[in-house]
Amino acid sequence: METIENYCKEIGPINAALLATLFTWFVTMLGAGMIFFFKTMNRKWQDVMLGFTGGVMLAASFWSLLSPSIELAEREYPDMPWMPAAFGFVAGALFIFGLDKLAPHLHINFREDETEGVKTKWHQTTLLILAITLHNIPEGLAVGVLFGAAANGADGVTYAAAITLAFGIGLQNFPEGFAVAMPLRRQGVSRRKSFWYGQLSAIVEPVAGVLGAWAVISIEPILPYALAFAAGAMIFVVVEEVIPETQRDKNTDLAVLGLVGGFVLMMVLDVAFG
């Protein structure tokens, strides 16, 4: 880990954020690539994997983002250390809420008549891809913001923490990539196109990661707000999208166990290595 940290310092936070989010996108590609080896996926395992994704995002939102935000604010706002975290958290949630209302999309496991956002005649495949793309924006943003925070020497934030977050996000992107590609395949899309669209849903992560790192470095005072902003965005996605997707069949308990597993794993990774 120390060698990787030194390398991040050498190349700079923006390049480090780019490489880290390219890694998370690559893992999504590997997950989508499973479509070439399996004809179908048991709905039970799909719900468990989506639950796992939600658990990782929940744990990362607190240990990697909200907690450092509050610690940073204790210096600059000793009387109201909660204020940047509260403001940024709400702003992040409202940002995704706005995108959710504007961008036409369809969540995994939802019927075609349950399309959200502006009404459109776009194909169901496009709507599914857009749903996961919206989901991936806060993930990339969170990684980028953490790399920017580490570069600024923020208390309690290190490159190791940013790397750990990127690893955790990448870990949950593997089943997510497969969970995106499989519904497309079930709709009759070819394996090659299902793979292409599945991995394409995560290409937004490097873009969001670079923007997050750049913003924090360029405007250092926004750091505690930016950390909480990413947390609020991720929590909104988990509660509005990921959890409902796992509760539409008979596997609700297993999905919750998957969420618990993802939460605990991300918590252990962050505490042990972050």
Side-chain angles (χ1 to χ4, degrees), residues 106 110-115 122-124 127:
L106 178 66
F110 279 51
R111 300 188 308 273
E112 191 169 0
D113 61 357
E114 294 179 289
T115 299
W122 290 351
H123 193 274
Q124 188 175 357
L127 297 173

Side-chain angles (χ1 to χ4, degrees), residues 16 38 47 66 72 121 126 128 139 141 178 183 210 215 222 251 258:
F38 296 93
D47 289 340
L66 273 179
L72 288 171
K121 295 182 180 179
T126 304
L128 280 168
E139 295 179 3
L141 185 65
F178 189 41
V210 168
I222 72 168
N251 309 309

Side-chain angles (χ1 to χ4, degrees), residues 81-269:
W82 47 266
M83 190 268 290
F87 183 86
F89 189 88
V90 172
L94 290 177
F95 172 71
I96 298 298
F97 172 78
L99 291 180
D100 189 71
K101 293 301 180 184
L102 292 174
H105 60 283
L106 178 66
H107 297 311
I108 298 172
N109 298 329
F110 279 51
R111 300 188 308 273
E112 191 169 0
D113 61 357
E114 294 179 289
T115 299
E116 298 180 8
V118 176
K119 299 299 180 182
T120 179
K121 295 182 180 179
W122 290 351
H123 193 274
Q124 188 175 357
T125 300
T126 304
L127 297 173
L128 280 168
I129 296 167
L130 283 174
I132 301 301
T133 300
L134 291 177
H135 172 141
N136 286 328
I137 290 174
E139 295 179 3
L141 185 65
V143 173
V145 166
L146 217 56
F147 272 102
N152 283 344
D155 292 341
V157 182
T158 63
Y159 279 112
I163 294 166
T164 301
L165 176 62
F167 179 77
I169 295 294
L171 196 63
Q172 58 94 22
N173 273 4
F174 183 84
E176 185 178 280
F178 189 41
V180 177
M182 185 54 68
L184 299 178
R185 179 60 180 157
R186 284 203 301 265
Q187 292 177 19
V189 179
S190 69
R191 277 193 169 91
R192 183 174 298 179
K193 285 188 175 181
S194 296
F195 163 74
W196 173 253
Y197 292 134
Q199 61 83 29
L200 192 64
S201 64
I203 197 64
V204 71
E205 289 190 7
V207 178
V210 168
L211 287 176
W214 173 82
V216 168
I217 293 168
S218 302
I219 317 172
E220 186 174 349
I222 72 168
L223 179 52
Y225 297 92
L227 288 167
F229 182 95
M234 285 217 290
I235 292 293
F236 187 93
V237 167
V238 172
V239 177
E240 193 274 338
E241 176 184 339
V242 178
I243 292 177
E245 288 172 1
T246 68
Q247 303 297 302
R248 296 175 65 85
D249 204 34
K250 301 176 182 179
N251 309 309
T252 56
D253 290 344
L254 290 174
V256 173
L257 291 176
L259 186 145
V260 171
F263 186 96
V264 171
L265 179 61
M266 188 64 216
M267 177 184 66
V268 170
L269 288 174

